[in-house]
Amino acid sequence: MGAEAEPFPSYNNYSYGNRDGEVRVNVEVHVDGPLILGLQPAALVDHVARVDCSFLHQIPGDRGGSIPVAIEELELMVSELRTHILASHDDPFSMKTMAGGSVANTMRGLSAGFGVSSGIIGAYGDDEQGQLFVRNMSSNGVNLSRLRMKKGRTGQCVCLIDELGTRTMRPCLSNAVKVQADDLTREDFKGSRPFFLQWLSLRYAIFNLEVIREAIKIAKQEGLFLSLDLASFEMVRNFKLPLLQLLESGNIDLCFANEDEAIELLSGKQNADPEIALEFLAKHCQWAVVTLGPNGCIAKLGKEVSERLQCSRT
């Protein structure tokens, strides 16, 4: 059973303008389903806080990475956070709880920030965190008709941001409800085709590998384009072989990696750097993007490499 979402209207509005002999046509397009679908098998609630570095030294794993923790570890971190929070001018008690997960954040940003119709495929638990996830995503216009409710816990994640802005993630998904491979149907991947290109957004995770593979198979049958986010340098380091198999399958159309993930993908090879990693990704994907933090990103489409795109700080 999924959360109800208002259907998207299906009509087009056209307006014409003529100035100085130039005819301009403005088209406002409304489609029956999301242009971009995100697969996040387990709904996730984020506990986001800015913390001092001393707290990061107390928790397992590398700073800036993402490794799973047990529910007891997560609850202990949340309880201890308040003594390590870095106050900000906007919020002196700056810990926020919200719908999270990389894919959910992307779908919410596309919908609320850019007006791009988006939807999410996944499952949430019949608990308070699950209701929070549904409320937050639906209030931002994300289509939830492909989101199932299951009996059990909703996933949670502690997101720790240090003084330099580095994010350290500690998700707890071991007991969380999630969409399984055999839950997926072709209806999950139908949307605005055949009039528009439709995308499925994926995030690499070894514990979701079976459902990712099934989603790729069905999405390709439905004619969708696929994008893949490499998730974290720890995920790439620890589970590189299945990732390489996904990339080398030829099914991934667009791949995103940050600088650390890209270099980790080529670890052990001489002179590994973001540019060489971009070349490697572009051999297997039509589009490849490597982000470089405050230095922007580099991207490649076929044989064309973009200039380094700078990002301004806001």
Side-chain angles (χ1 to χ4, degrees):
M1 172 180 162
E4 293 295 326
E6 291 185 5
F8 287 90
S10 178
Y11 58 89
N12 298 334
N13 289 334
Y14 300 88
S15 61
Y16 300 86
N18 189 331
R19 190 177 69 178
D20 299 327
E22 181 182 8
V23 177
R24 299 182 180 182
V25 181
N26 298 317
V27 183
E28 181 183 353
V29 180
H30 300 265
V31 297
D32 292 325
L35 288 175
I36 301 180
L37 290 170
L39 175 69
Q40 184 169 306
L44 196 64
V45 169
D46 280 344
H47 306 282
V48 184
R50 294 180 57 85
V51 298
D52 57 60
C53 287
S54 66
F55 185 69
L56 297 175
H57 297 321
Q58 300 176 26
I59 64 175
D62 295 333
R63 174 184 163 211
S66 176
I67 59 172
V69 296
I71 185 62
E72 295 80 11
E73 293 176 279
L74 182 138
E75 290 175 346
L76 180 61
M77 279 189 277
V78 171
S79 69
E80 294 182 347
L81 269 176
R82 298 191 182 281
T83 60
H84 295 272
I85 286 177
L86 295 176
S88 68
H89 295 296
D90 297 332
D91 185 355
F93 307 102
S94 49
M95 182 170 73
K96 298 180 179 179
T97 299
M98 64 189 77
S102 176
V103 172
N105 291 338
T106 300
M107 297 305 107
R108 180 174 53 204
L110 288 170
S111 176
F114 296 95
V116 176
S117 60
S118 62
I120 193 164
I121 303 170
Y124 66 98
D126 59 344
D127 54 8
E128 182 181 349
Q129 286 78 22
Q131 291 303 314
L132 187 153
F133 184 90
V134 169
R135 287 195 304 270
N136 185 251
M137 296 299 287
S138 61
S139 67
N140 283 280
V142 178
N143 185 308
L144 302 183
S145 61
R146 297 161 180 81
L147 188 68
R148 288 94 161 154
M149 184 179 73
K150 293 189 174 185
K151 187 174 181 59
R153 287 179 180 267
T154 301
Q156 299 182 65
C157 179
V158 173
C159 176
L160 307 171
I161 307 170
D162 63 22
E163 295 98 325
L164 301 177
T166 302
R167 293 173 179 263
T168 300
M169 317 293 284
R170 293 296 177 262
C172 176
L173 296 168
S174 56
N175 296 319
V177 300
K178 61 184 286 189
V179 161
Q180 304 293 339
D182 57 6
D183 290 331
L184 298 176
T185 70
R186 297 186 70 154
E187 290 300 314
D188 289 320
F189 301 88
K190 292 185 183 297
S192 55
R193 282 193 327 113
F195 304 107
F196 301 94
L197 300 181
Q198 189 180 11
W199 284 83
L200 175 67
S201 175
L202 305 165
R203 181 175 171 85
Y204 182 60
I206 192 64
F207 41 82
N208 289 330
L209 190 57
E210 185 180 355
V211 69
I212 287 173
R213 286 171 172 162
E214 183 66 15
I216 289 173
K217 183 181 78 172
I218 300 175
K220 281 301 177 182
Q221 291 172 351
E222 290 298 311
L224 275 67
F225 286 84
L226 298 178
S227 72
L228 179 68
D229 168 12
L230 298 196
S232 76
F233 66 86
E234 289 168 317
M235 189 66 69
V236 175
R237 176 191 300 163
N238 296 331
F239 307 103
K240 187 182 299 182
L241 181 58
L243 173 59
L244 290 173
Q245 291 171 343
L246 286 179
L247 292 171
E248 292 169 357
S249 71
N251 288 323
I252 307 301
D253 300 290
L254 167 62
C255 184
F256 289 100
N258 66 29
E259 187 172 1
D260 292 336
E261 296 157 2
I263 292 175
E264 189 64 49
L265 190 63
L266 299 182
S267 64
K269 297 188 178 181
Q270 194 173 12
N271 301 324
D273 61 28
E275 286 78 10
I276 293 175
L278 182 71
E279 291 290 333
F280 175 81
L281 291 172
K283 288 180 181 178
H284 303 295
C285 308
Q286 187 175 355
W287 296 274
V289 179
V290 175
T291 60
L292 306 171
N295 295 317
C297 70
I298 50 178
K300 187 168 185 180
L301 168 59
K303 296 182 178 180
E304 297 182 13
V305 181
S306 73
E307 297 293 331
R308 186 168 299 211
L309 305 175
Q310 297 292 329
C311 293
S312 60
R313 291 182 179 271
T314 57

